Amino acid sequence: MSWSSSDFRPSAEVFGKNGVLEEQKSPRFKKRETQVYVGNLPLDISEEEIRCLLKDFNPLHVHKIQNGCKCFAFVDVGSMQKVALAIQELNGKLFRKRKLYVNSNRRSPKRTLDVTEWTQELLGLEKTSGQGFARTTASTQLVPKASVDPCKTEKPRTSIFAVPMEMRGSFLALLLRECFRDLGWLATIHSVGGDVGLLVTSIVPQTPFFWAMHVTETLHQNMQALFRALAEAEEQQPYLHDSAVRRGTRCLAEYQLGDYGWAWNRCWVLDRVDSWAVVTFIDFGQSATIPVQSLRSLDSDDFWTIPPLAQPFMLEKDIWSSYQVIHRILKGKITGALNLELHILKFEEFK
């Protein structure tokens, strides 16, 4: 199976055609060419403090984004000349004991999402016999052993981990009811078995739990259909009104696919605190905190006919100690299901 570039329209372009959003859709956003990216900001910094940081360049608008433990901002300084000056003046500067990363907001082709490249790489890795599958860097944490009697046999230690709330059947049933109006997905995902390739999308550090896409022909077809639909719809979907963002809202927000760049994807609002929304990206098992004004409407059932692309798993004999495995494919086998949570499958990687 192969794909052409016409099958996948890149959806990482947030600002519409030619990099510009129509003003009536979101007057807060301007041209990329006049924006500067400011990264590694303190989590508690306010937009006013960011303005003060760039006061020498007369900022027109500040758009702060907080994603988990990361905080950054896009600042419109009005001209490309000021962008260059801001980079020269502030990049690498220490601010509250943090080294700022300041760069142009013009994304290079290398970092712009190309869904065709991503899915073709998926297919190539799936068909490769053992080669090309990344080896996880996760390993069991070792505790220094106290000196013991050599005649005594040490019993293996068994660690017990609580199932993360977002992986529990009760939570997923609620999500499926509100987003997909159908619980059938929970009944089918435990049927996966045998040798598999898993594209890891999210992990729970220091536990064996993770989210991954089971790499199959059906996955490729669903990804193709979903990404094409979102790419065609992203510019037409209006930004949500402030009053419409509340727990249970189905919407569209940006998700970063590692080195492949940013793309608009389906999400569900878990909670809201002032001007921030806590959302879960349905197809990646990943949660994030993002500004309310950056959410687009996606309430039509037409966008929710394809079931979630990722599902929960747990490592059979290991725990995660590194994020480097995210967006890589692991090859292994399904060894069973978790007691009482049969939708969480146990996975053992081939070494």
Side-chain angles (χ1 to χ4, degrees):
M1 181 177 180
S2 61
W3 293 270
S4 64
S5 58
S6 60
D7 290 330
F8 296 95
R9 291 178 53 194
S11 58
E13 189 59 70
V14 185
F15 292 80
K17 296 180 179 180
N18 300 321
V20 183
L21 265 181
E22 297 176 16
E23 290 188 2
Q24 63 269 30
K25 290 183 180 179
S26 179
R28 297 175 181 271
F29 294 94
K30 300 290 183 180
K31 293 182 179 179
R32 288 193 186 282
E33 289 81 0
T34 63
Q35 284 188 333
V36 63
Y37 168 85
V38 185
N40 199 31
L41 291 169
L43 296 180
D44 60 348
I45 193 171
S46 66
E47 290 192 352
E48 188 59 36
E49 288 176 296
I50 298 174
R51 285 182 182 275
C52 291
L53 181 63
L54 284 92
K55 64 181 185 300
D56 293 340
F57 311 99
N58 299 317
L60 303 177
H61 174 70
V62 174
H63 181 59
K64 173 189 166 185
I65 298 175
Q66 184 173 339
N67 187 345
C69 61
K70 296 181 181 180
C71 182
F72 54 94
F74 296 106
V75 183
D76 187 352
V77 293
S79 72
M80 294 179 64
Q81 290 79 10
K82 288 184 179 180
V83 168
L85 289 173
I87 295 172
Q88 182 179 353
E89 177 71 22
L90 297 176
N91 188 38
K93 178 179 179 180
L94 287 179
F95 178 74
R96 291 197 196 171
K97 298 182 179 181
R98 287 174 174 258
K99 188 175 181 179
L100 297 177
Y101 175 69
V102 182
N103 204 346
S104 166
N105 193 27
R106 291 175 293 168
R107 293 173 181 160
S108 64
K110 179 180 179 181
R111 296 195 61 82
T112 300
L113 174 67
D114 186 337
V115 179
T116 306
E117 176 188 354
W118 194 50
T119 51
Q120 285 180 338
E121 182 173 323
L122 256 177
L123 185 63
L125 288 174
E126 178 192 17
K127 291 183 176 179
T128 303
S129 178
Q131 299 178 356
F133 287 86
R135 298 297 181 186
T136 177
T137 56
S139 60
T140 305
Q141 284 189 322
L142 300 177
V143 179
K145 298 179 181 179
S147 42
V148 295
D149 187 339
C151 297
K152 293 183 179 179
T153 302
E154 184 178 358
K155 296 182 179 180
R157 298 180 180 181
T158 302
S159 299
I160 300 176
F161 297 92
V163 177
M165 180 61 67
E166 64 274 15
M167 286 188 175
R168 296 181 184 179
S170 55
F171 176 86
L172 292 177
L174 175 63
L175 181 152
L176 292 170
R177 265 197 302 266
E178 294 197 7
C179 291
F180 299 90
R181 324 297 193 204
D182 181 13
L183 300 181
W185 180 69
L186 274 179
T188 59
I189 60 177
H190 69 81
S191 62
V192 178
D195 294 354
V196 295
L198 299 182
L199 172 63
V200 180
T201 59
S202 177
I203 69 169
V204 182
Q206 305 306 319
T207 80
F209 298 104
F210 66 105
W211 290 83
M213 298 180 186
H214 178 209
V215 183
T216 63
E217 189 70 19
T218 299
L219 173 67
H220 294 312
Q221 293 171 357
N222 285 342
M223 287 172 61
Q224 181 182 21
L226 177 61
F227 290 158
R228 182 192 296 134
L230 294 179
E232 292 174 351
E234 65 181 47
E235 293 183 16
Q236 283 72 44
Q237 296 301 116
Y239 284 91
L240 286 170
H241 293 293
D242 184 86
S243 59
V245 180
R246 55 186 179 274
R247 180 178 174 83
T249 300
R250 302 187 296 183
C251 51
L252 193 64
E254 274 196 299
Y255 179 81
Q256 187 173 20
L257 289 169
D259 292 336
Y260 295 94
W262 294 80
W264 289 88
N265 278 283
R266 302 185 295 185
C267 64
W268 187 55
V269 177
L270 298 176
D271 201 357
R272 175 175 175 173
V273 180
D274 298 325
S275 60
W276 296 93
V278 180
V279 305
T280 183
F281 287 95
I282 303 296
D283 298 298
F284 299 92
Q286 179 70 51
S287 297
T289 303
I290 57 180
V292 166
Q293 72 267 20
S294 66
L295 297 175
R296 290 181 184 266
S297 173
L298 198 71
D299 198 44
S300 171
D301 287 340
D302 293 340
F303 296 107
W304 301 90
T305 57
I306 295 176
L309 300 181
Q311 66 185 77
F313 293 89
M314 70 171 290
L315 293 174
E316 176 72 38
K317 302 176 179 179
D318 225 337
I319 64 171
W320 297 113
S321 60
S322 172
Y323 285 97
Q324 294 180 8
V325 72
I326 295 178
H327 300 144
R328 296 184 182 179
I329 294 182
L330 305 180
K331 189 175 182 181
K333 63 180 179 180
I334 300 300
T335 59
L338 185 63
N339 292 337
L340 303 181
E341 298 283 3
L342 296 178
H343 60 283
I344 300 180
L345 302 182
K346 298 179 181 179
F347 173 77
E348 182 176 349
E349 185 191 8
F350 293 150
K351 299 296 185 180

